[in-house]
Amino acid sequence: MGWTFQDKYAVHNEFGNAFTLVTPSRNEIILADPEAAHGVLSRRKEYIKPAEMYAPLNIFGPNLDTVEGEDWQRHRRLTAPSFNEKSSSLVWSEALRQAQDMLKSWTEQGKRGTQDTARDTAKLALHVITSAGFGVSYAFDADSQPLPSKHSLTYSDALSLVLRNFILLAIFPLRLLNFPFSPKPFRKVGQAAQEFREYMEQMVVNERAMISKRESGTGNLMSALVRASEEDKLSSKTGGPSQGLNADEILGNAFIFAMAGHETTANAIAAALVLLAANPTVQDWLAEEINNVSSGDDTNYETLFPKLNRCMAVMLETLRLYGSIVFIPKSTGSHAQTLQIKDTTHPIPPNTFIYTNSQALHCNPHSWGPDVLTWNPKRWITPSSAGHVGAETLIEPQQGTFIPWADGPRLCPGRKFAQVEFVAVMKTLFRDHRVQAVLKEGEDEESGKTRLLQMIDDSAIFAITLQMQNPRSVGLRWVKK
């Protein structure tokens, strides 16, 4: 299904908003009708996640992304408290700190700029999730970090290796990776997975010790996850059913938090920076908002984040055209279902896959207009009647036309986490600086813009997310305005 990024809406323009691929193993429905897509994603009991596609995500244990039915309800109830305003405030503060240090490292490169934008945004996102997610903070430019006792890798390095080698861990059992005769790169990944598990297990032990002493939590995701589970277990001692998460489920959800919160946000930030470099007028539009709403204490999450709608618009428009997930798979499972498309109800046999083509939904000219393939963050903004920048509002897309975080009951719980991180980064980078393509000798700005757009359009699915294939092909340089 990686073809959907390059295809956009073209195949649906030819065959309609829903068509069936008949294969030797099963039938597959490719869906790009907004109302029908919303219906499929809302009916979580009838349209389930294909177990064979999501089982690899159980590397460290069952989690919110892989379970179904009553198990999903339990996981959802116990993981939801992790994503709250306290954790959002932690994300905001850490993203500001990391972005300031990242910007400093970029401006120090001068006219030669940097070719490491994607690598650096990945580092930023990793540090935000380790801090706001697990309470482990790192300096952005720290070349070396002290090792805790009994560890050969820092928490950050272990997590980074695990995330970069997710496919390897999904294919090979950990015991095989750690086998003495396995290739050295395999053993390194196996060691990272083992140490990551040990770090997380120690975090759980530490949090439970704080609970037993009646000490307040830190507010990070892991803390909230453990506390919600422990509180649920306590309720069982007073007569309620015990439905807390077991040890593997806590680790499984902690891993999925890290995985979902790292690569997708890093990709969005990197893509947005390339697009902004190609569109200097949008940078000016963005900076106008940042400088209008920032005054006094410009680090306050509660007062600033809700006002930075143009920053949010940049994220939404980037995800519309270059979102990390280009399709959402579902299955009818062992039961027949129905699918309503316009005025017709279609019977869908058991064991049928339904791929909601989110890329096509985001590129449908009937939903987004004739300029659907043009990156234009301004389409998301409704101006205020008085013309005040800080009083603008974001449009609400028609149901089913914009689903970068999925839709329905299984909407990504980390959506706010990602939004806060993205907006904090944009606010920091574009308040006093602008980004430009590093031009080749004799090259004009228009040619530089063309190369930037070619770089981002040359994206493809790596492992499970959309990424630029050659993110170092065009350098970016940062200048103070």
Side-chain angles (χ1 to χ4, degrees):
M1 286 293 291
W3 55 267
T4 59
F5 171 71
Q6 296 296 340
D7 183 82
K8 312 302 183 193
Y9 186 72
V11 70
H12 293 283
N13 197 44
E14 182 175 355
F15 295 112
N17 279 346
F19 60 88
T20 303
L21 293 178
V22 180
T23 75
S25 59
R26 60 175 171 260
N27 292 339
E28 300 177 351
I29 297 173
I30 315 300
L31 184 64
D33 179 87
E35 291 182 6
H38 175 72
V40 167
L41 296 176
S42 297
R43 295 164 62 189
R44 67 169 184 83
K45 294 182 179 180
E46 291 88 355
Y47 289 99
I48 62 175
K49 289 191 171 186
E52 59 268 43
M53 294 184 70
Y54 284 85
L57 296 177
N58 287 324
I59 294 171
F60 293 96
N63 57 74
L64 184 65
D65 217 28
T66 62
V67 294
E68 288 287 350
E70 292 183 2
D71 268 349
W72 177 82
Q73 290 179 301
R74 177 171 58 90
H75 279 251
R76 180 71 174 190
R77 177 171 55 82
L78 294 171
T79 56
S82 301
F83 298 95
N84 53 47
E85 285 302 280
K86 187 172 183 179
S87 64
S88 291
S89 183
L90 291 175
V91 172
W92 178 263
S93 298
E94 186 62 20
L96 290 178
R97 185 173 75 90
Q98 293 291 331
Q100 287 165 356
D101 290 346
M102 182 172 69
L103 179 60
K104 181 176 181 293
S105 73
W106 286 344
T107 55
E108 289 173 350
Q109 302 304 312
K111 292 184 178 180
R112 68 176 179 272
T114 178
Q115 293 178 300
D116 294 324
T117 299
R119 185 200 68 178
D120 288 346
T121 59
K123 183 197 293 188
L124 177 145
L126 180 70
H127 289 178
V128 171
I129 192 65
T130 59
S131 179
F134 303 100
V136 184
S137 295
Y138 297 100
F140 176 81
D141 55 357
D143 294 326
S144 60
Q145 301 155 357
L147 280 172
S149 61
K150 300 181 181 179
H151 282 281
S152 63
L153 295 167
T154 64
Y155 177 73
S156 174
D157 289 340
L159 175 57
S160 180
L161 272 168
V162 165
L163 294 176
R164 293 203 313 269
N165 295 278
F166 156 72
I167 295 298
L168 194 64
L169 287 164
I171 295 173
F172 296 103
L174 192 56
R175 63 180 182 279
L176 182 59
L177 293 177
N178 287 325
F179 192 67
F181 297 104
S182 293
K184 186 176 180 179
F186 280 38
R187 283 183 278 123
K188 188 173 182 179
V189 173
Q191 180 66 23
Q194 182 59 39
E195 294 204 27
F196 177 60
R197 173 180 285 276
E198 291 170 0
Y199 275 118
M200 291 197 297
E201 288 174 341
Q202 188 58 52
M203 289 177 190
V204 173
V205 169
N206 294 344
E207 196 64 37
R208 284 174 174 162
M210 292 174 66
I211 293 171
S212 68
K213 297 176 184 177
R214 300 182 181 275
E215 296 177 1
S216 59
T218 58
N220 63 54
L221 298 185
M222 184 61 129
S223 172
L225 181 63
V226 174
R227 285 173 181 267
S229 185
E230 291 302 299
E231 287 172 9
D232 201 77
K233 289 178 182 177
L234 286 174
S235 71
S236 67
K237 296 180 180 179
T238 59
S242 177
Q243 293 187 326
L245 299 173
N246 64 36
D248 283 344
E249 290 171 333
I250 288 176
L251 299 190
N253 278 293
F255 168 71
I256 214 69
F257 287 172
M259 185 177 183
H262 172 246
E263 197 169 84
T264 53
T265 309
N267 295 345
I269 295 171
L273 295 182
V274 172
L275 292 162
L276 284 162
N279 293 273
T281 57
V282 179
Q283 293 184 57
D284 293 338
W285 177 74
L286 195 62
E288 181 186 22
E289 174 187 73
I290 294 168
N291 289 289
N292 265 277
V293 305
S294 297
S295 61
D297 180 12
D298 65 356
T299 62
N300 188 281
Y301 159 72
E302 289 81 5
T303 57
L304 273 182
F305 174 73
K307 297 178 182 178
L308 292 169
N309 287 318
R310 292 184 182 182
C311 292
M312 181 67 77
V314 169
M315 182 184 202
L316 299 178
E317 183 70 349
T318 301
L319 292 177
R320 187 180 69 81
L321 292 175
Y322 302 95
S324 287
I325 306 300
V326 296
F327 68 93
I328 302 173
K330 292 284 186 176
S331 169
T332 55
S334 57
H335 300 285
Q337 304 296 345
T338 60
L339 179 61
Q340 183 81 22
I341 301 179
K342 299 295 188 273
D343 296 327
T344 304
T345 300
H346 302 270
I348 309 298
N351 302 313
T352 301
F353 274 24
I354 297 90
Y355 290 100
T356 295
N357 189 348
S358 51
Q359 189 71 39
L361 287 169
H362 297 172
C363 296
N364 186 339
H366 304 294
S367 301
W368 297 97
D371 66 341
V372 64
L373 297 182
T374 300
W375 184 78
N376 176 24
K378 295 181 181 180
R379 75 170 76 241
W380 291 88
I381 294 293
T382 300
S384 71
S385 56
H388 297 313
V389 173
E392 296 169 337
T393 57
L394 290 164
I395 68 161
E396 187 67 34
Q398 179 188 342
Q399 199 171 66
T401 61
F402 184 66
I403 54 171
W405 291 285
D407 196 4
R410 299 197 76 143
L411 183 75
C412 175
R415 176 178 61 170
K416 181 74 173 289
F417 189 110
Q419 291 174 340
V420 171
E421 180 178 345
F422 186 99
V423 169
V425 172
M426 293 298 114
K427 173 203 164 299
T428 302
L429 297 182
F430 291 98
R431 178 171 182 173
D432 299 313
H433 291 79
R434 299 293 182 271
V435 63
Q436 306 168 349
V438 175
L439 302 179
K440 296 179 178 179
E441 186 176 353
E443 184 179 41
D444 59 23
E445 290 185 4
E446 193 60 32
S447 298
K449 175 179 178 177
T450 298
R451 286 196 299 123
L452 286 169
L453 296 179
Q454 288 173 342
M455 179 172 71
I456 195 167
D457 285 334
D458 183 33
S459 294
I461 299 294
F462 285 84
I464 58 174
T465 61
L466 185 76
Q467 302 176 37
M468 289 179 281
Q469 296 192 81
N470 298 289
R472 291 176 52 83
S473 60
V474 184
L476 298 181
R477 72 185 187 100
W478 291 81
V479 295
K480 195 172 180 64
K481 66 174 183 178

